[in-house]
Amino acid sequence: MQALGLHDDVTARLRDALRDASRIVVFSGAGASAESGIATFRDPEVGLWRRYKPEQLATPQAFLTDPALVWGRYGWRRRQVAAAQPNAGHLAIAEWGRSREVSVVTQNVDDLHERAGSADVVHLHGEIAKARCFDCAAPYPLTPEPEVEGEGPMSVEPPVCGQCGGLVRPGVVWFGEALPEREWAEAKARCRRADLLICVGTSAVVRPASLLPRLAWEHGAAVVQVNPHPTEHDEITEFVIRGTSAAILPRLLEMATAS
Ligand code: BV8
Ligand code: ZN
């Protein structure tokens, strides 16, 4: 079984926290989808997109400057998501949710938590499978991305809104844009009442989402950090597990549910 790299006494306290938890929040970032083959934000880009930092294209200004480049980028990412499968980490979280109250609060815009079977998923940064008009916000139904050779085109003209003629944009939250009010309020409410928060696959760089683990901790939750690399969130817990989501989360589920 995958060792967690913790001292025995810490492992014993972790086991108790996992077993005793009844209101669990899983706070996930791009690392939770990495083992499904979806690039994270801060791993270096490869292929066609290697010349761009993701943040450069994830802003309203970038879209207005070059709508076709940004729409092409999201088309490439939608294809990546459509070709991906939930990994063992997503599946363990969904399995956990069948025997305990587990809320997934995710920064990710893919639907892998839902496809793994998680029923309660809050998307803080929107969903890449959704789109809306940039001007009047009318929802725009997306058809599945056509199969393409290789990475496909970089520049693709975005559709035009049927209501007002505005440009259609991805249904995600860009840098400089406020998080959706309902989802942000739901996420904070879940973190305040949680008795356990599993923080998985996030670099803790992006605000205000990265404030949530500390909010849960300040309200008495035990926090578990699952990340191959150190982040700011290591400071609020002794349960720092240097490992990947697909390797570690099934192990945590076993500890939580072992009789
Ligand atoms: C807002 C959707 C205000 C789009 C995203 C200066 C200082 C502090 C803050 C700011 C600042 N300047 C600007 C800000 C605010 C800004 C911000 O935080 N910027 C950062 C870059 C400094 N935030 C905003 O703009 C937010 N809005 O503040 O609004 C406001 C209020 C009222 C009215 C108007 C405005 C909006 C932020 C949302 C941006 N949109 N995504 C899209 O997807 O294209 S954020 C984007 O980053 C993704 O959602 C991503 O999930 C998220 C966070 O990144 P991570 O998920 O953590 O991913 P990352 O690649 O960074 O890290 C991966 C981690 O996984 C690593 O730690 C790695 O070690 C680990 N890992 C790798 N493999 C694995 C693994 N872990 C486990 N298993 C593995 N296998
Ligand atoms: Zn419109």
Side-chain angles (χ1 to χ4, degrees), residues 146-222:
E147 289 287 318
V148 291
E149 279 301 304
E151 292 191 66
M154 289 183 78
S155 266
V156 177
E157 287 305 324
V160 168
C161 169
Q163 320 265 339
C164 76
L167 291 177
V168 171
R169 59 163 286 174
V172 299
V173 179
W174 278 328
F175 289 100
E177 293 186 320
L179 272 56
E181 274 177 34
R182 187 183 68 77
E183 284 77 2
W184 180 232
E186 292 269 343
K188 287 187 289 184
R190 282 167 165 74
C191 287
R192 285 196 191 96
R193 59 189 292 272
D195 50 16
L196 176 68
L197 182 137
I198 311 280
C199 183
V200 53
T202 180
S203 61
V205 163
V206 174
R207 302 252 187 281
S210 59
L211 304 175
L212 290 173
R214 183 172 288 276
L215 178 70
W217 176 67
E218 284 166 353
H219 283 75

Side-chain angles (χ1 to χ4, degrees), residues 3-226:
L4 297 179
L6 302 173
H7 292 300
D8 290 351
D9 58 331
V10 179
T11 303
R13 284 196 292 277
L14 171 62
R15 189 186 311 280
D16 291 346
L18 293 168
R19 276 195 188 146
D20 298 346
S22 56
R23 295 182 310 281
I24 301 156
V25 167
V26 175
F27 176 62
S28 66
S33 297
E35 286 154 292
S36 297
I38 295 180
T40 68
F41 266 70
R42 283 151 195 99
D43 293 340
E45 288 285 357
V46 292
L48 282 176
W49 297 99
R50 63 184 170 286
R51 74 191 78 161
Y52 296 98
K53 276 171 62 67
E55 286 88 342
Q56 277 175 286
L57 302 178
T59 70
Q61 296 74 16
F63 181 71
L64 293 176
T65 305
D66 190 340
L69 179 69
V70 174
W71 188 256
R73 162 92 179 168
Y74 280 87
W76 172 74
R77 285 182 59 197
R78 276 198 298 278
R79 285 192 292 276
Q80 260 200 332
V81 170
Q85 292 303 323
N87 62 57
H90 296 109
L91 294 168
I93 294 165
E95 174 65 30
W96 207 344
R98 284 192 270 278
S99 62
R100 301 284 174 77
E101 181 191 320
V102 174
S103 299
V104 177
V105 173
T106 188
Q107 300 169 89
N108 298 341
V109 296
D110 63 53
D111 60 349
L112 293 180
H113 283 298
E114 291 90 337
R115 281 165 50 195
S118 285
D120 180 12
V121 181
V122 177
H123 282 274
L124 295 173
H125 295 156
E127 297 176 69
I128 200 165
K130 293 187 176 158
R132 65 174 186 271
C133 175
F134 190 90
D135 295 331
C136 75
Y140 185 88
L142 286 179
T143 51
E145 284 293 319
E147 289 287 318
V148 291
E149 279 301 304
E151 292 191 66
M154 289 183 78
S155 266
V156 177
E157 287 305 324
V160 168
C161 169
Q163 320 265 339
C164 76
L167 291 177
V168 171
R169 59 163 286 174
V172 299
V173 179
W174 278 328
F175 289 100
E177 293 186 320
L179 272 56
E181 274 177 34
R182 187 183 68 77
E183 284 77 2
W184 180 232
E186 292 269 343
K188 287 187 289 184
R190 282 167 165 74
C191 287
R192 285 196 191 96
R193 59 189 292 272
D195 50 16
L196 176 68
L197 182 137
I198 311 280
C199 183
V200 53
T202 180
S203 61
V205 163
V206 174
R207 302 252 187 281
S210 59
L211 304 175
L212 290 173
R214 183 172 288 276
L215 178 70
W217 176 67
E218 284 166 353
H219 283 75
V223 175
V224 182
Q225 159 83 308
V226 178

